Amino acid sequence: MAILGERWTVVVLREVFTGVRRFDDMRERTGIPRQVLTNRLTRLVDQGLLRKEPYREPGARQRHEYRLTEKGLDLWPVLVALLTWGDRYLADPEGSPLVAAHRDCEAPVRIELRCADGHEVSTPRAVVPRPGPGLRRR
């Protein structure tokens, strides 16, 4: 949560996942204050979720686009889960402002939980949280 726990960070990631890669385009679409957007993009680059790619419009100075790294792409299921939750509890009556669809067949994408043996985990009560090997005892 140290990386994703701030509202604007998730908004920036949503924009990059939907193909918005340039600073000015993100500012215009989201209304994020300039300094906040600068800080969030810097943090996402520093954490290895985004990488900067230079580009230059004719007659203009060099700028950067922000592209997802493999580490950033691995967050897609998390964002789809948040989208699904938001659609269930917060969406307007006319529906979601964003739909995740399979590129090949256009069917809606959904998140499923499965254990390592392949069993579907249908409810949160079917999961037992246990201390993992990385737990630090104080």
Side-chain angles (χ1 to χ4, degrees):
M1 290 310 298
I3 297 171
L4 298 179
E6 199 280 323
R7 169 185 172 224
W8 289 119
T9 301
V10 175
V11 172
V12 169
L13 287 169
R14 178 198 67 202
E15 291 302 303
V16 177
F17 270 108
T18 59
V20 179
R21 297 183 179 102
R22 295 181 178 182
F23 185 95
D24 290 335
D25 295 338
M26 281 185 221
R27 276 252 313 117
E28 185 176 313
R29 284 178 46 98
T30 64
I32 299 174
R34 180 173 295 282
Q35 191 59 51
V36 172
L37 180 55
T38 297
N39 293 344
R40 295 309 169 270
L41 288 168
T42 298
R43 181 155 175 77
L44 290 168
V45 169
D46 290 347
Q47 291 292 325
L49 279 74
L50 298 178
R51 71 178 190 282
K52 291 165 66 169
E53 293 282 328
Y55 75 93
R56 183 188 309 262
E57 297 286 341
R61 66 181 175 86
Q62 179 176 301
R63 293 183 166 206
H64 291 94
E65 290 185 336
Y66 295 88
R67 303 273 179 152
L68 289 157
T69 64
E70 184 175 345
K71 184 177 179 180
L73 285 166
D74 282 346
L75 279 172
W76 181 237
V78 174
L79 294 178
V80 171
L82 288 172
L83 175 66
T84 302
W85 182 86
D87 288 350
R88 182 171 180 178
Y89 296 105
L90 304 172
D92 291 334
E94 45 291 345
S96 177
L98 179 67
V99 176
H102 184 221
R103 185 183 305 273
D104 290 344
C105 70
E106 293 298 316
V109 172
R110 61 190 171 110
I111 298 295
E112 290 183 351
L113 294 178
R114 296 194 172 276
C115 73
D117 286 339
H119 305 114
E120 182 179 347
V121 179
S122 58
T123 71
R125 295 191 190 284
V127 177
V128 179
R130 295 196 171 120
L135 178 68
R136 293 187 182 112
R137 304 236 184 241
R138 293 179 192 226

